[in-house]
Amino acid sequence: MGRPPPRITNQIRKLRFEHGEMTQQALADAIGVTRQTIIAIEQGKYSPTLEAAFRIAAAFGVPLENVFQFTEEK
Amino acid sequence: MAFREKSAWISLLATLVVYTVYFYYFGRSLAEGQAFGIGGPIILSIVALVVIQVVLHIVAAIASPSEARAPEDERDQEIRRRANTGGFIMMQCGMALVAASAYFVDKWFMANLAVGVLAVAQAGFYGAVIFGYRRGV
């Protein structure tokens, strides 16, 4: 039995691309976490705290819902 | 691999190696019917554990100095918090077993049982940290 798909998905990879191929390290430095944490968030292995989520949205200059989406369980 | 995951691997392997050697000698002394004092062997084991971990952590830190200097972030803290909970539950259950063993075994065996519980709880903690980094939290 595999890991269930994450209920919180995100567009970080796409947003990094749209922001001049921002590196994971640059984003990590901007919000004060490690690059491994950014990798884990992108892969859906870690859901950041609300504060970190807002910081990520602020780093891209977009509203929170443009970065993170919550999928209702069916 | 992140430095903190490497650190957990180092600590897990050091714990397993040192306590496997410790309990090998403990088992051998039991089989030979000899007393196995806890003072000397456990102090030696703790010293070995500290030395192995310090040396390997220095090597790992030299390999990735910036990661080694970086403070824990929220994910590191969450992983450690969950692992702590798991390790603490293991230790509580194990210590209850040690307390119950007072009715059946002598004090030296009981003391070594307590060392075993601490070793298993410690290994469980590091295992849970590795699991947290691998699987996600």
Side-chain angles (χ1 to χ4, degrees), chain B residues 19 22 36-47 112 115:
Chain B
Y19 285 109
Y22 178 88
F36 189 76
I38 195 165
I42 194 63
I43 289 172
L44 199 65
S45 298
I46 291 169
V47 169
N112 279 294
V115 171

PDB file of all heavy atoms in Angstrom, chain B residues 19 22 36-47 112 115:
ATOM      1  N   TYR B  19      26.289  -0.756  21.596  1.00  0.00           N
ATOM      2  CA  TYR B  19      25.479  -1.585  22.498  1.00  0.00           C
ATOM      3  C   TYR B  19      25.421  -3.044  22.060  1.00  0.00           C
ATOM      4  O   TYR B  19      25.205  -3.923  22.892  1.00  0.00           O
ATOM      5  CB  TYR B  19      24.084  -0.979  22.682  1.00  0.00           C
ATOM      6  CG  TYR B  19      24.135   0.229  23.591  1.00  0.00           C
ATOM      7  CD1 TYR B  19      23.956   1.509  23.095  1.00  0.00           C
ATOM      8  CD2 TYR B  19      24.426   0.088  24.946  1.00  0.00           C
ATOM      9  CE1 TYR B  19      24.043   2.619  23.928  1.00  0.00           C
ATOM     10  CE2 TYR B  19      24.514   1.185  25.787  1.00  0.00           C
ATOM     11  CZ  TYR B  19      24.322   2.450  25.267  1.00  0.00           C
ATOM     12  OH  TYR B  19      24.415   3.537  26.103  1.00  0.00           O
ATOM     13  N   TYR B  22      28.481  -4.276  23.695  1.00  0.00           N
ATOM     14  CA  TYR B  22      28.229  -4.324  25.147  1.00  0.00           C
ATOM     15  C   TYR B  22      27.406  -5.571  25.506  1.00  0.00           C
ATOM     16  O   TYR B  22      27.772  -6.340  26.402  1.00  0.00           O
ATOM     17  CB  TYR B  22      27.497  -3.050  25.577  1.00  0.00           C
ATOM     18  CG  TYR B  22      27.149  -3.004  27.047  1.00  0.00           C
ATOM     19  CD1 TYR B  22      28.051  -2.492  27.974  1.00  0.00           C
ATOM     20  CD2 TYR B  22      25.927  -3.489  27.512  1.00  0.00           C
ATOM     21  CE1 TYR B  22      27.743  -2.461  29.326  1.00  0.00           C
ATOM     22  CE2 TYR B  22      25.614  -3.463  28.861  1.00  0.00           C
ATOM     23  CZ  TYR B  22      26.521  -2.949  29.763  1.00  0.00           C
ATOM     24  OH  TYR B  22      26.206  -2.925  31.101  1.00  0.00           O
ATOM     25  N   PHE B  36      28.861  -9.705  35.671  1.00  0.00           N
ATOM     26  CA  PHE B  36      29.151  -8.657  34.692  1.00  0.00           C
ATOM     27  C   PHE B  36      28.822  -7.322  35.348  1.00  0.00           C
ATOM     28  O   PHE B  36      27.679  -6.892  35.360  1.00  0.00           O
ATOM     29  CB  PHE B  36      28.290  -8.884  33.435  1.00  0.00           C
ATOM     30  CG  PHE B  36      28.653  -7.984  32.280  1.00  0.00           C
ATOM     31  CD1 PHE B  36      29.782  -8.219  31.517  1.00  0.00           C
ATOM     32  CD2 PHE B  36      27.853  -6.892  31.946  1.00  0.00           C
ATOM     33  CE1 PHE B  36      30.109  -7.403  30.442  1.00  0.00           C
ATOM     34  CE2 PHE B  36      28.170  -6.070  30.865  1.00  0.00           C
ATOM     35  CZ  PHE B  36      29.302  -6.330  30.118  1.00  0.00           C
ATOM     36  N   GLY B  37      29.847  -6.727  35.956  1.00  0.00           N
ATOM     37  CA  GLY B  37      29.634  -5.444  36.629  1.00  0.00           C
ATOM     38  C   GLY B  37      29.196  -4.391  35.642  1.00  0.00           C
ATOM     39  O   GLY B  37      29.619  -4.409  34.480  1.00  0.00           O
ATOM     40  N   ILE B  38      28.354  -3.490  36.081  1.00  0.00           N
ATOM     41  CA  ILE B  38      27.827  -2.505  35.135  1.00  0.00           C
ATOM     42  C   ILE B  38      28.710  -1.266  35.027  1.00  0.00           C
ATOM     43  O   ILE B  38      28.766  -0.618  33.985  1.00  0.00           O
ATOM     44  CB  ILE B  38      26.372  -2.122  35.513  1.00  0.00           C
ATOM     45  CG1 ILE B  38      25.704  -1.397  34.358  1.00  0.00           C
ATOM     46  CG2 ILE B  38      26.326  -1.286  36.783  1.00  0.00           C
ATOM     47  CD1 ILE B  38      24.223  -1.311  34.493  1.00  0.00           C
ATOM     48  N   GLY B  39      29.445  -0.951  36.115  1.00  0.00           N
ATOM     49  CA  GLY B  39      30.220   0.294  36.164  1.00  0.00           C
ATOM     50  C   GLY B  39      31.218   0.446  35.036  1.00  0.00           C
ATOM     51  O   GLY B  39      31.071   1.333  34.183  1.00  0.00           O
ATOM     52  N   GLY B  40      32.234  -0.431  35.022  1.00  0.00           N
ATOM     53  CA  GLY B  40      33.306  -0.316  34.024  1.00  0.00           C
ATOM     54  C   GLY B  40      32.813  -0.418  32.597  1.00  0.00           C
ATOM     55  O   GLY B  40      33.027   0.495  31.791  1.00  0.00           O
ATOM     56  N   PRO B  41      32.117  -1.506  32.254  1.00  0.00           N
ATOM     57  CA  PRO B  41      31.674  -1.674  30.853  1.00  0.00           C
ATOM     58  C   PRO B  41      30.779  -0.549  30.348  1.00  0.00           C
ATOM     59  O   PRO B  41      30.919  -0.112  29.204  1.00  0.00           O
ATOM     60  CB  PRO B  41      30.912  -3.005  30.880  1.00  0.00           C
ATOM     61  CG  PRO B  41      31.451  -3.732  32.044  1.00  0.00           C
ATOM     62  CD  PRO B  41      31.819  -2.705  33.054  1.00  0.00           C
ATOM     63  N   ILE B  42      29.890  -0.065  31.205  1.00  0.00           N
ATOM     64  CA  ILE B  42      28.963   0.974  30.699  1.00  0.00           C
ATOM     65  C   ILE B  42      29.703   2.299  30.511  1.00  0.00           C
ATOM     66  O   ILE B  42      29.444   3.027  29.536  1.00  0.00           O
ATOM     67  CB  ILE B  42      27.705   1.133  31.610  1.00  0.00           C
ATOM     68  CG1 ILE B  42      26.622   1.944  30.887  1.00  0.00           C
ATOM     69  CG2 ILE B  42      28.014   1.802  32.923  1.00  0.00           C
ATOM     70  CD1 ILE B  42      26.085   1.303  29.642  1.00  0.00           C
ATOM     71  N   ILE B  43      30.636   2.589  31.418  1.00  0.00           N
ATOM     72  CA  ILE B  43      31.412   3.841  31.253  1.00  0.00           C
ATOM     73  C   ILE B  43      32.233   3.765  29.967  1.00  0.00           C
ATOM     74  O   ILE B  43      32.267   4.705  29.167  1.00  0.00           O
ATOM     75  CB  ILE B  43      32.309   4.105  32.486  1.00  0.00           C
ATOM     76  CG1 ILE B  43      31.424   4.498  33.674  1.00  0.00           C
ATOM     77  CG2 ILE B  43      33.336   5.217  32.209  1.00  0.00           C
ATOM     78  CD1 ILE B  43      32.136   4.595  34.993  1.00  0.00           C
ATOM     79  N   LEU B  44      32.846   2.599  29.752  1.00  0.00           N
ATOM     80  CA  LEU B  44      33.640   2.387  28.532  1.00  0.00           C
ATOM     81  C   LEU B  44      32.749   2.543  27.284  1.00  0.00           C
ATOM     82  O   LEU B  44      33.145   3.164  26.292  1.00  0.00           O
ATOM     83  CB  LEU B  44      34.251   0.988  28.582  1.00  0.00           C
ATOM     84  CG  LEU B  44      35.440   0.720  27.682  1.00  0.00           C
ATOM     85  CD1 LEU B  44      36.618   1.573  28.119  1.00  0.00           C
ATOM     86  CD2 LEU B  44      35.826  -0.766  27.753  1.00  0.00           C
ATOM     87  N   SER B  45      31.551   1.989  27.368  1.00  0.00           N
ATOM     88  CA  SER B  45      30.620   2.061  26.231  1.00  0.00           C
ATOM     89  C   SER B  45      30.204   3.501  25.952  1.00  0.00           C
ATOM     90  O   SER B  45      30.133   3.918  24.783  1.00  0.00           O
ATOM     91  CB  SER B  45      29.365   1.228  26.505  1.00  0.00           C
ATOM     92  OG  SER B  45      29.716  -0.108  26.672  1.00  0.00           O
ATOM     93  N   ILE B  46      29.914   4.251  27.020  1.00  0.00           N
ATOM     94  CA  ILE B  46      29.487   5.646  26.833  1.00  0.00           C
ATOM     95  C   ILE B  46      30.630   6.466  26.237  1.00  0.00           C
ATOM     96  O   ILE B  46      30.413   7.271  25.317  1.00  0.00           O
ATOM     97  CB  ILE B  46      28.980   6.245  28.173  1.00  0.00           C
ATOM     98  CG1 ILE B  46      27.660   5.578  28.555  1.00  0.00           C
ATOM     99  CG2 ILE B  46      28.800   7.764  28.058  1.00  0.00           C
ATOM    100  CD1 ILE B  46      27.179   5.870  29.952  1.00  0.00           C
ATOM    101  N   VAL B  47      31.841   6.225  26.736  1.00  0.00           N
ATOM    102  CA  VAL B  47      33.002   6.946  26.193  1.00  0.00           C
ATOM    103  C   VAL B  47      33.167   6.606  24.705  1.00  0.00           C
ATOM    104  O   VAL B  47      33.352   7.501  23.868  1.00  0.00           O
ATOM    105  CB  VAL B  47      34.291   6.614  26.989  1.00  0.00           C
ATOM    106  CG1 VAL B  47      35.531   7.144  26.272  1.00  0.00           C
ATOM    107  CG2 VAL B  47      34.213   7.198  28.394  1.00  0.00           C
ATOM    108  N   ASN B 112      21.369  -3.994  33.792  1.00  0.00           N
ATOM    109  CA  ASN B 112      21.683  -4.176  32.367  1.00  0.00           C
ATOM    110  C   ASN B 112      20.428  -4.132  31.495  1.00  0.00           C
ATOM    111  O   ASN B 112      20.481  -3.687  30.354  1.00  0.00           O
ATOM    112  CB  ASN B 112      22.451  -5.479  32.151  1.00  0.00           C
ATOM    113  CG  ASN B 112      23.916  -5.291  32.477  1.00  0.00           C
ATOM    114  OD1 ASN B 112      24.614  -4.557  31.792  1.00  0.00           O
ATOM    115  ND2 ASN B 112      24.378  -5.909  33.556  1.00  0.00           N
ATOM    116  N   VAL B 115      19.873  -0.580  30.931  1.00  0.00           N
ATOM    117  CA  VAL B 115      20.785  -0.087  29.884  1.00  0.00           C
ATOM    118  C   VAL B 115      20.233  -0.480  28.516  1.00  0.00           C
ATOM    119  O   VAL B 115      20.230   0.320  27.573  1.00  0.00           O
ATOM    120  CB  VAL B 115      22.217  -0.662  30.079  1.00  0.00           C
ATOM    121  CG1 VAL B 115      23.100  -0.335  28.884  1.00  0.00           C
ATOM    122  CG2 VAL B 115      22.839  -0.116  31.351  1.00  0.00           C
TER     123      VAL B 115
END
